[in-house]
């Protein structure tokens, strides 16, 4: 099913009303499907298998961080998988030449000229794995206390924390949402530096496809961005009916969309992906880039809302003296805070918060005995600063 999405005019963008036609006006007629389905000569041109593979790998890595029979080396090998290595339970993942680590903190806009920062963040992620094995696994049967790693109950569920009350597996998983999913989408595959590189524009204009494929390079790059959000969906062409099909960005897009203060964000994201892809087919690159800006804003917002949501959830649990619940919420929140450095202010080349600011907040939250003694004033102060930068209120995100 196709709907005709038309009438963007340069004149409208300038004067805000539809004037009579003139030679300077350019009307864009773009056929926009209602699902993420695009074909060329009857063959689908949509492909994002590598992204689906990395999401599946990430699921197994996070699960492995709760298996105290494993070594740090074995989990780190999953993270930095090499084709043919027997790292995963799924043979297809073992046969893949993809790895999660190679695309973590690896976008063209933020890291192409900063190999030091890329290596430092990847080392940080490796460190969460080794710390889980070296600090937490040995105390799997020990009741956690301030300064002592071990288990702590959140209701009837045992959480495994370090001496600061931090769950490394949650820190790893929520950091990956920014460092892999968001960074690859908004700072890499939607970047003009990637989309327009080399002969991509002229090839796309001419309909020149990649050898042996049905799609142009530009089409494929846009699809790869889409795949980091919807690549694990039951129906990737119509993914909104089953949002939450993976444990990463997809899940938290659903969470934010389910908050009445942010309802509709999932539709906005899906429609921007479709229109941007249709604009590539039509060769309308200004409209493509407008959709990329929408996606940068909306995906960044998801990370910010969840960071504040979990800080406030942790605060409420601390006030109720429910320490296991508080530590779980704060661990998730800390991971989302870590992800804020991969967000992107629309119209700029910068994140909403630089890495140095993120590191400062993490230091504040973990100083002394960490979550065992963090103050509600600190949680409120960080929440307010994040919310203000994104233009929402703490109470809106706390729902």
């Amino acid at each position: 099913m196709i709907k005709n999405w038309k009438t963007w005019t340069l004149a409208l963008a300038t004067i805000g009303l539809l004037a009579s036609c003139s030679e300077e006006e350019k009307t864009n007629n773009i056929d926009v499907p209602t699902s993420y389905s695009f074909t060329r000569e009857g063959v689908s041109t949509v492909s994002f298998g590598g992204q689906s593979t990395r999401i599946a790998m990430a699921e197994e890595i996070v699960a492995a961080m709760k298996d105290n029979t494993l070594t740090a080396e074995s989990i780190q090998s999953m993270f930095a998988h090499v084709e043919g290595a027997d790292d995963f339970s799924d043979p297809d993942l073992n046969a893949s030449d993809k790895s999660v680590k190679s695309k973590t903190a690896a976008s063209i806009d933020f890291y192409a000229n900063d190999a030091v920062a890329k290596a430092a963040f990847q080392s940080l992620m490796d460190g969460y794995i080794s710390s889980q094995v070296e600090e937490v696994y040995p105390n799997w049967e020990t009741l956690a206390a301030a300064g002592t790693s071990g288990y702590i109950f959140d209701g009837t569920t045992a959480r495994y924390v370090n001496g600061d009350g931090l769950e490394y597996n949650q820190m790893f998983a929520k950091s990956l949402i920014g460092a892999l999913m968001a960074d690859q989408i908004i700072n890499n595959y939607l970047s003009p530096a990637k989309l327009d590189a080399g002969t991509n524009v002229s090839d796309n204009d001419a309909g020149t496809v990649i050898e042996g494929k049905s799609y142009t390079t530009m089409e494929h790059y846009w699809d790869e961005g889409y795949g980091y959000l919807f690549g694990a969906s039951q129906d990737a062409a119509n993914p909104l009916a089953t949002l939450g099909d993976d444990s990463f960005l997809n899940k938290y897009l659903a969470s934010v969309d389910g908050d009445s203060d942010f309802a509709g964000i999932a539709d906005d994201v899906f429609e921007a992906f479709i229109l941007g892809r249709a604009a590539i087919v039509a060769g309308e690159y200004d409209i493509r880039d407008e959709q990329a800006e929408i996606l940068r804003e909306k995906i960044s917002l998801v990370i910010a809302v969840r960071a504040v949501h979990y800080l406030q959830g942790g605060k409420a649990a601390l006030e109720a003296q429910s320490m296991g619940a508080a530590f779980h919420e704060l661990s998730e929140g800390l991971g989302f805070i870590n992800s804020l450095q991969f967000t992107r202010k629309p119209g700029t080349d910068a994140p909403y918060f630089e890495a140095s600011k993120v590191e400062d907040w993490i230091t504040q939250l973990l100083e002394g005995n960490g979550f065992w003694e963090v103050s509600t004033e600190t949680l409120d102060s960080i929440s307010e600063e994040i919310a203000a930068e994104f233009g929402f209120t703490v109470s809106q995100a706390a729902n």
Side-chain angles (χ1 to χ4, degrees):
M1 181 178 180
I2 299 290
K3 65 180 179 180
N4 189 256
W5 196 295
K6 60 183 180 179
T7 315
W8 287 271
T9 70
L10 296 179
L12 269 176
T14 304
I15 63 176
L17 54 85
L18 183 63
S20 59
C21 294
S22 72
E23 292 182 356
E24 295 180 354
E25 290 180 346
K26 178 183 179 184
T27 299
N28 302 294
N29 291 288
I30 303 174
D31 288 332
V32 183
T34 54
S35 65
Y36 199 86
S37 302
F38 297 89
T39 61
R40 176 173 284 110
E41 298 176 352
V43 177
S44 174
T45 61
V46 177
S47 176
F48 43 76
Q51 288 63 47
S52 302
T53 294
R54 287 191 174 88
I55 292 171
M57 288 178 170
E59 296 278 12
E60 286 211 25
I61 296 167
V62 172
M65 291 184 70
K66 292 185 71 176
D67 182 347
N68 67 338
T69 67
L70 298 177
T71 66
E73 290 73 19
S74 64
I75 304 173
Q76 287 168 343
S77 292
M78 297 171 74
F79 183 41
H81 175 68
V82 175
E83 182 179 3
D86 190 23
D87 294 319
F88 300 99
S89 64
D90 183 343
D92 290 338
L93 299 184
N94 292 332
S96 174
D97 63 354
K98 313 298 182 188
S99 85
V100 172
K101 185 175 183 177
S102 67
K103 296 295 184 180
T104 297
S107 64
I108 192 169
D109 284 352
F110 281 7
Y111 294 97
N113 298 312
D114 197 344
V116 172
K118 173 181 176 180
F121 196 88
Q122 291 180 348
S123 177
L124 188 69
M125 297 293 278
D126 272 326
Y128 297 144
I129 294 171
S130 59
S131 295
Q132 174 78 346
V133 172
E134 294 165 8
E135 297 175 27
V136 180
Y137 283 1
N139 281 8
W140 209 246
E141 304 297 331
T142 301
L143 183 63
T148 301
S149 61
Y151 71 86
I152 186 168
F153 278 105
D154 171 10
T156 59
T157 302
R159 309 292 187 188
Y160 297 91
V161 301
N162 72 359
D164 292 329
L166 173 66
E167 293 177 62
Y168 285 119
N169 56 312
Q170 289 297 332
M171 187 66 175
F172 183 94
K174 272 53 181 185
S175 296
L176 209 55
I177 290 173
L180 176 65
M181 285 79 183
D183 190 46
Q184 283 294 301
I185 295 171
I186 63 182
N187 302 318
N188 195 61
Y189 285 118
L190 271 55
S191 168
K194 185 80 172 178
L195 292 165
D196 297 343
T199 61
N200 289 353
V201 173
S202 58
D203 287 348
N204 194 67
D205 287 342
T208 303
V209 300
I210 299 172
E211 185 176 357
K213 304 296 183 182
S214 60
Y215 43 77
T216 69
T217 298
M218 189 187 297
E219 290 170 341
H220 186 49
Y221 284 162
W222 190 272
D223 292 345
E224 289 186 290
Y226 181 85
Y228 273 111
L229 182 53
F230 296 118
S233 297
Q234 297 175 47
D235 179 358
N238 297 283
L240 298 188
T242 60
L243 273 181
D245 282 333
D246 68 50
S247 303
F248 301 99
L249 186 57
N250 187 292
K251 175 180 179 179
Y252 293 97
L253 175 62
S255 297
V256 175
D257 190 63
D259 181 335
S260 60
D261 293 305
F262 304 98
I265 189 172
D267 283 328
D268 293 342
V269 167
F270 185 55
E271 289 172 3
F273 264 120
I274 293 179
L275 179 52
R277 180 59 155 81
I280 289 174
V281 173
E284 297 289 354
Y285 304 122
D286 287 345
I287 293 173
R288 176 202 69 182
D289 292 341
E290 289 171 6
Q291 305 317 302
E293 289 293 276
I294 292 170
L295 289 165
R296 290 188 181 104
E297 177 187 359
K298 301 295 183 182
I299 290 172
S300 297
L301 180 63
V302 169
I303 292 172
V305 169
R306 294 312 286 182
V308 173
H309 174 86
Y310 284 120
L311 290 180
Q312 291 300 303
K315 173 189 169 185
L318 285 174
E319 290 173 336
Q321 294 294 301
S322 180
M323 303 305 278
F327 294 174
H328 185 62
E329 297 265 352
L330 294 175
S331 296
E332 295 193 87
L334 205 64
F336 276 105
I337 286 174
N338 210 12
S339 284
L340 284 169
Q341 62 191 291
F342 301 98
T343 57
R344 181 75 168 265
K345 272 189 172 180
T348 77
D349 295 328
Y352 281 84
F353 295 104
E354 299 285 350
S356 57
K357 183 65 176 178
V358 167
E359 291 169 8
D360 178 58
W361 281 334
I362 292 174
T363 299
Q364 286 184 50
L365 291 165
L366 294 179
E367 66 183 358
N369 284 316
F371 297 158
W372 290 95
E373 56 189 35
V374 68
S375 71
T376 56
E377 289 78 12
T378 296
L379 300 178
D380 280 341
S381 173
I382 296 173
S383 296
E384 291 285 357
E385 197 167 346
I386 296 170
E389 182 69 10
F390 280 84
F392 60 83
T393 66
V394 171
S395 61
Q396 286 177 314
N399 296 336

